[in-house]
Amino acid sequence: MTLPEGLDSTRNLAEVQARIAALLEGERKADHSETAVLRLDPLLIAQAEAGQAVLTARLRAQFGEEAHFAVAAADSSMFVMAARAGRPNEVAAVLQRRLAELPARLSGTRPGILAVFVEDTDATEWRTLRERLEIEGATRNFLTAPEAKPVIAVTCASRFELLCQPEPVSARGGELRYRNPAHPFAKDAALAPAVLSQV
């Protein structure tokens, strides 16, 4: 279900519900208009009867970690509605913008390490940002910018690392660390333990 204008209980909720009902009653697979795109897909769920945990894992594998589900079951039939936010996650973009502001605080006389605390993320979102390399991508893009010249490394952590949560909830080593290979001291052996990138 794609709703370009969003879902508003005072505006179009009843219309969307009616269109979903008509789609199910007519046993059609799709319904398209300017205000909504509705599509029915068969779920390939094996061993759904094994329990809610197995069902949830299968749904997450098909629809992604960020999806929200509504499940209704009767006899041997099952109806699952999966919804995702229409806007992309902006944490990585905000991180890159914030990193660009920080080097102005550095003197430039010594190699600078920027430490960033990413707050207000839940465990699933934080893990997804790491697994999709969005944090790494934003950081490495920043490190190619002229303002990153005095920065030798960037580290990122969330509350999960600060609370010493186990992997995969938290990042391995207690932080994400990325070295700036263009910095003159990037290969300095004395600085290596603090600046070497984590893979």
Side-chain angles (χ1 to χ4, degrees):
M1 178 167 58
T2 303
L3 305 172
E5 299 176 4
L7 186 63
D8 187 340
S9 60
T10 61
R11 184 169 48 89
N12 61 355
L13 179 60
E15 176 192 348
V16 170
Q17 289 174 332
R19 289 178 64 178
I20 291 172
L23 198 64
L24 293 169
E25 289 174 11
E27 297 183 3
R28 293 179 293 130
K29 292 187 177 181
D31 181 3
H32 304 273
S33 74
E34 292 180 2
T35 59
V37 177
L38 306 174
R39 194 178 78 208
L40 284 177
D41 290 314
L43 291 175
L44 304 175
I45 303 173
Q47 301 173 338
E49 66 279 358
Q52 189 69 26
V54 172
L55 172 61
T56 302
R58 296 282 180 167
L59 292 173
R60 292 254 174 249
Q62 287 187 34
F63 293 96
E65 290 291 334
E66 69 278 9
H68 299 276
F69 300 106
V71 181
D75 298 328
S76 61
S77 298
M78 181 179 300
F79 176 74
V80 177
M81 185 178 292
R84 276 190 292 250
R87 293 184 304 182
N89 191 306
E90 297 180 356
V91 171
V94 171
L95 172 65
Q96 189 171 340
R97 286 196 305 269
R98 186 70 178 126
L99 285 171
E101 299 168 3
L102 296 177
R105 299 181 182 184
L106 301 174
S107 66
T109 59
R110 296 180 182 178
I113 298 175
L114 299 181
V116 180
F117 177 65
V118 181
E119 62 179 341
D120 199 24
T121 58
D122 62 28
T124 300
E125 180 182 31
W126 179 239
R127 183 177 177 183
T128 301
L129 285 167
R130 294 187 339 257
E131 289 177 351
R132 292 185 180 174
L133 305 180
E134 293 185 44
I135 297 290
E136 180 175 358
T139 305
R140 294 201 185 279
N141 282 338
F142 158 73
L143 291 173
T144 64
E147 58 265 26
K149 187 176 180 180
V151 178
I152 191 170
V154 175
T155 68
C156 301
S158 72
R159 69 179 185 274
F160 303 108
E161 286 74 27
L162 294 181
L163 296 173
C164 300
Q165 295 292 307
E167 293 182 53
V169 175
S170 70
R172 184 178 38 177
E175 65 182 3
L176 301 172
R177 187 187 316 130
Y178 308 103
R179 178 180 60 169
N180 183 359
H183 195 281
F185 291 98
K187 294 183 180 179
D188 189 299
L191 291 175
V195 303
L196 284 180
S197 298
Q198 294 173 330
V199 179

